[in-house]
Amino acid sequence: MAIAMEKQGAAGVRQVAFGGLLRHSDMAVAVMSVVVVAMMIIPLPPMVLDILLTINIAGSLMILLVCLYSMEPLEFASFPTLILLATLFRLALNISSTRLILLRGYAGEVIASFGEYVVGGNYIVGLVIFLLLVVIQFVVITQGAGRVAEVAARFTLDAMPGKQMAIDADLNAGLISEDGARARRAKIQQEADFYGAMDGASKFVRGDAIAAIVMILVNTLGGFAVGMFQMKMDLLQALRTFTLLTVGDGLVCQIPALLLSTATGVIVTRAASESRLGQEVVSQTLSQPRAVMIASAMMLALALVPGLPKIPFLVISVALFIIGRALGTETCEAPAERPGEAPGASAPVETAPSSEAPEEIERVLHVDPVEVEIGYGLIRLADPQQGGHLLSRVGLMRRQLAQELGLIVPPVRVRDNAQLRHNTYSIKLRGIEIGRSELYPKHYLAMDPGGVASPVQGIQAKEPAFGLPALWVDEQTRQAAELAGYTVVDPLTVLITHLTEIIRRHADELLSRQTVQELLDGVREREPAAVQGLVPDLLSLADVQRVLQRLLHERVSIRDLVPILEALGDAARFTKSIDLLTEEARRALARWLCQTYQAADGKIHVVMLDPRTEQFLTDRIRTSEQGSHLLLDSSETDKLVQQLQAEVEKLATLGHHPVVLCSPRIRPHLFVLAERFVPNLVVLSYAELVPEAQVQSRGVVRIEQ
């Protein structure tokens, strides 16, 4: 108990001391930066210079060790700034030592010891060692670290949009919370800032190596001149004295510089992991016992070669053999643990099953609501390791459709299909193909919006979502196509647009009763009065589903369910007709309808029906137990469709959405009649216009009786 209390007390003291350092760290860094600049101006005594040189060596060594023990680069996010400060400190030490060498011919014991003891008092050896250190630092480590930092910065910036979309996809799927997504976005931004700063910080280390070469030349020539002309030394004495001091000064400063450049290389090549660098190196290097045994055999073979020393190769061969044998034995004796199985438990002997498990059969019977099958050449679009963003874009599409239509789009299964052509994809709805097209991964789809002056050359194609004529152009032709006025999109955008449009067209088929129940449960939690007494008292779940499907079929958003359910509750007391219930739901969404089809000038530009034509259609409506229907013969249908197509084309040429305005009685029947012949036609009734809506008639549809 006493020992535990003593440990807790010591830990508390350390924590308090560390907290005190953190509280005054900003002031300490500011003071140190000013002191470093002052060192370049104010002469330092040799004793103070010895202490600062020792601090420089210890600090560089500590920075290297921190880099080795960091799990990921962001644990040492202040490293780029620290490189600048350490480089400035080292240059200030060089200036201070140069001043002492040239003024006194003595710069403290540290520099003198490096000049006399480390290189044995031989200034030629000292120069060679110094130049080797500079070459190692400048040519090998700094050059490589700078290149790695540059590539890492570029790749990090290029990968940011994909990472952001992956975060949004995980957030939409409910895998992470808002706080988790915010933290991951902040981490991505920090990574981009870190690698961008490291790209510039590596230039500091490279410039420091160049400055070291310049300084040793200046110190040698300057010391030679001072020794001969001011201190009256002879040629050899001046050359030996000042060259040794200059070499000692260079070694004292280049060793910390080498440590710092090594730390730079470690931090920019360090990938995020869950273990220390030493553990990763040892575990991964010794992960293949066969490779260790082969290396042992090669060392033994070299030992048998005549003329080569046998003892070193034999010792290394025996050592590698022992390590490889131990690793092989450990691998063979360590059984693989099963998930959920207690360590050390004996693994049961598996026998071939006589029949398939029921779970596997049920998995085969399951039909996915939406599937995207891709050929072998399009796998790169879905593989994140190859830079593919298909999965994250699908997640964004689901969120977009949820906001637009109020529909919870079921998960989209993406799988490869070897039976498809190389660059072909297929979109299936409940196992039935409803869309297929071909992509060129290294090309771009250029669509002519009209008025392109100079056409470009490419592969003739059609835009799959809307059937517009288009061209597949390569990277070299892309810029020319954009300048010519083409709308240019990448292959992934083409696929996503096609998938989005297909889901919009078939949104009513994707609205299952289970999804409707989930939507009603959500409304019940927020506004229980809107659901209370409606299901199952007045309407069944199937009736509500059919009404919502009718709305989605006409591309009416069901995101705001409360007014829809309240309108159904009021109308269900008098009728159970799905047609009438749908019309009541549309009237409840009148404000949304008017705002959606309102043009930029604030008006709804429509095509209207001639009064006699409206009366003619009203007289042709027949009501039965199965509902009401519009009965027209083929000639009357052809006349009405031709008139609608002509007037809608006029409306489209003016840049307005095709909208037809008619009476509430014939509105649903007119939509059913026209949807096959006039795609994207919107049919509104007078009852769906709010009082403040401004309607501009652009044409009249009339048929001869």
Side-chain angles (χ1 to χ4, degrees):
M1 178 69 71
I3 296 177
M5 293 180 62
E6 184 178 354
K7 290 182 178 180
Q8 292 178 359
V13 171
R14 288 195 299 269
Q15 186 175 2
V16 171
F18 186 69
L21 289 176
L22 289 179
R23 283 195 298 271
H24 303 288
S25 59
D26 53 347
M27 184 181 299
V29 172
V31 172
M32 289 174 60
S33 302
V34 176
V35 169
V36 168
V37 177
M39 287 168 53
M40 300 180 181
I41 304 172
I42 302 173
L44 297 178
M47 179 60 71
V48 176
L49 183 61
D50 287 344
I51 296 175
L52 294 178
L53 289 173
T54 307
I55 292 176
N56 185 29
I57 296 174
S60 301
L61 181 60
M62 187 173 64
I63 291 173
L64 175 61
L65 294 176
V66 171
C67 293
L68 291 175
Y69 278 96
S70 297
M71 293 285 194
E72 57 182 13
L74 287 183
E75 290 186 6
F76 204 0
S78 61
F79 184 66
T81 306
L82 194 58
I83 290 179
L84 173 60
L85 296 178
T87 304
L88 183 62
F89 179 57
R90 191 163 52 253
L91 293 175
L93 290 177
N94 277 331
I95 294 175
S96 300
S97 61
T98 300
R99 184 185 295 112
L100 289 176
I101 290 173
L102 297 180
L103 288 177
R104 303 184 183 183
Y106 175 73
E109 293 296 327
V110 174
I111 292 178
S113 299
F114 270 80
E116 292 288 343
Y117 178 74
V118 175
V119 299
N122 192 324
Y123 56 86
I124 297 179
V125 176
L127 283 174
V128 172
I129 293 177
F130 173 78
L131 291 177
L132 287 177
L133 288 176
V134 172
V135 169
I136 291 173
Q137 177 189 350
F138 181 72
V139 178
V140 181
I141 300 178
T142 305
Q143 192 78 13
R147 179 58 178 167
V148 172
E150 179 183 354
V151 174
R154 185 168 68 248
F155 283 3
T156 302
L157 293 175
D158 292 343
M160 280 188 67
K163 292 181 179 180
Q164 294 283 4
M165 289 189 293
I167 293 173
D168 294 337
D170 291 345
L171 180 62
N172 298 338
L175 301 179
I176 58 176
S177 61
E178 289 285 349
D179 295 336
R182 193 177 299 109
R184 288 174 59 178
R185 292 191 188 99
K187 184 176 180 180
I188 291 174
Q189 185 63 44
Q190 290 174 0
E191 286 181 354
D193 295 341
F194 175 81
Y195 285 109
M198 282 302 304
D199 185 21
S202 61
K203 307 298 188 299
F204 299 147
V205 182
R206 181 185 307 174
D208 182 36
I210 299 175
I213 299 176
V214 175
M215 284 185 178
I216 195 170
L217 294 175
V218 172
N219 289 351
T220 302
L221 297 176
F224 178 72
V226 170
M228 288 191 62
F229 298 110
Q230 294 184 1
M231 297 184 179
K232 305 303 180 182
M233 296 180 180
D234 57 20
L235 178 60
L236 294 178
Q237 184 182 3
L239 184 61
R240 184 181 186 281
T241 301
F242 287 97
T243 303
L244 283 178
L245 289 175
T246 302
V247 169
D249 180 28
L251 292 176
V252 169
C253 292
Q254 277 308 301
I255 290 175
L258 181 62
L259 295 175
L260 194 62
S261 60
T262 304
T264 304
V266 169
I267 201 71
V268 297
T269 57
R270 181 79 167 122
S273 61
E274 299 180 356
S275 60
R276 306 293 182 188
L277 180 61
Q279 297 174 355
E280 282 191 346
V281 170
V282 174
S283 61
Q284 295 175 10
T285 305
L286 302 179
S287 61
Q288 298 294 334
R290 183 175 299 177
V292 180
M293 297 297 289
I294 293 175
S296 174
M298 293 299 297
M299 292 298 101
L300 180 60
L302 290 175
L304 300 178
V305 175
L308 292 181
K310 302 184 181 304
I311 294 179
F313 289 101
L314 286 175
V315 171
I316 299 301
S317 176
V318 172
L320 290 177
F321 178 79
I322 295 174
I323 294 174
R325 186 65 180 270
L327 292 174
T329 304
E330 181 180 354
T331 304
C332 293
E333 291 181 353
E337 295 179 3
R338 297 170 177 267
E341 184 179 5
S346 59
V349 179
E350 296 184 0
T351 58
S354 58
S355 60
E356 296 187 25
E359 294 81 2
E360 296 179 356
I361 298 177
E362 292 179 0
R363 192 180 302 116
V364 173
L365 294 177
H366 176 71
V367 177
D368 294 304
V370 184
E371 290 180 82
V372 177
E373 294 184 347
I374 56 179
Y376 180 76
L378 304 181
I379 292 180
R380 69 182 67 179
L381 298 179
D383 187 2
Q385 297 182 355
Q386 301 184 42
H389 305 304
L390 176 58
L391 302 181
S392 58
R393 292 284 296 273
V394 168
L396 291 175
M397 178 211 64
R398 295 179 63 203
R399 183 174 184 176
Q400 174 190 348
L401 291 177
Q403 295 176 345
E404 176 184 335
L405 299 177
L407 172 66
I408 303 176
V409 179
V412 179
R413 181 179 293 275
V414 179
R415 64 178 68 182
D416 60 321
N417 188 349
Q419 298 180 356
L420 291 176
R421 295 180 58 185
H422 191 66
N423 291 334
T424 302
Y425 68 89
S426 170
I427 301 175
K428 294 184 176 181
L429 183 69
R430 301 197 181 279
I432 306 300
E433 182 180 296
I434 55 176
R436 176 187 288 237
S437 187
E438 192 172 8
L439 301 178
Y440 292 85
K442 296 183 180 180
H443 291 67
Y444 296 86
L445 189 67
M447 294 168 287
D448 183 3
V452 173
S454 55
V456 297
Q457 298 297 323
I459 303 174
Q460 296 290 337
K462 279 191 176 182
E463 195 277 329
F466 305 100
L468 302 176
L471 295 171
W472 285 105
V473 297
D474 55 17
E475 182 67 35
Q476 290 75 16
T477 317
R478 174 188 179 184
Q479 186 175 4
E482 291 176 346
L483 294 176
Y486 285 91
T487 301
V488 182
V489 295
D490 59 278
L492 182 56
T493 302
V494 174
L495 194 157
I496 291 296
T497 304
H498 191 190
L499 177 62
T500 304
E501 188 61 26
I502 282 182
I503 292 179
R504 283 199 187 103
R505 294 173 186 172
H506 302 273
D508 55 322
E509 301 178 46
L510 296 175
L511 185 67
S512 63
R513 293 186 184 179
Q514 180 62 38
T515 304
V516 174
Q517 184 62 58
E518 293 174 359
L519 294 175
L520 294 179
D521 292 340
V523 175
R524 186 177 287 109
E525 293 179 0
R526 300 189 304 270
E527 299 190 34
V531 185
Q532 186 177 4
L534 177 62
V535 179
D537 298 339
L538 296 176
L539 294 175
S540 65
L541 183 63
D543 293 334
V544 176
Q545 178 197 13
R546 292 174 63 189
V547 172
L548 297 181
Q549 285 179 331
R550 289 279 187 92
L551 294 175
L552 289 175
H553 184 67
E554 299 188 25
R555 298 199 176 189
V556 177
S557 174
I558 60 172
R559 183 180 179 185
D560 191 5
L561 269 179
V562 174
I564 296 176
L565 297 178
E566 290 178 348
L568 293 180
D570 295 337
R573 302 179 184 276
F574 308 102
T575 181
K576 295 296 187 290
S577 170
I578 301 300
D579 294 336
L580 297 180
L581 292 174
T582 303
E583 293 305 306
E584 291 297 326
R586 288 179 58 93
R587 292 170 188 170
L589 300 175
R591 194 171 303 279
W592 180 89
L593 291 170
C594 293
Q595 182 179 2
T596 300
Y597 303 113
Q598 181 177 292
D601 58 359
K603 299 179 180 179
I604 305 176
H605 300 267
V606 302
V607 173
M608 306 184 70
L609 296 184
D610 178 70
R612 296 181 59 187
T613 301
E614 277 209 7
Q615 185 61 44
F616 171 74
L617 296 177
T618 303
D619 295 340
R620 292 301 182 96
I621 296 177
R622 299 292 183 266
T623 304
S624 64
E625 296 180 356
Q626 288 76 25
S628 57
H629 305 278
L630 179 64
L631 299 180
L632 296 176
D633 58 31
S634 58
S635 61
E636 294 169 341
T637 302
D638 292 340
K639 293 178 182 178
L640 180 59
V641 169
Q642 290 174 2
Q643 284 289 316
L644 283 174
Q645 289 176 338
E647 296 299 331
V648 165
E649 287 179 1
K650 295 178 183 179
L651 196 62
T653 56
L654 298 175
H656 302 302
H657 201 284
V659 179
V660 174
L661 188 63
C662 62
S663 64
R665 179 75 187 279
I666 66 173
R667 192 212 69 81
H669 305 289
L670 184 60
F671 174 80
V672 173
L673 176 67
E675 66 173 335
R676 294 185 179 181
F677 307 100
V678 189
N680 299 323
L681 179 66
V682 177
V683 183
L684 296 180
S685 71
Y686 298 111
E688 296 167 357
L689 299 176
V690 294
E692 59 270 21
Q694 301 181 28
V695 179
Q696 179 69 47
S697 177
R698 293 292 184 177
V700 177
V701 175
R702 57 173 59 88
I703 58 175
E704 298 179 359
Q705 307 299 317

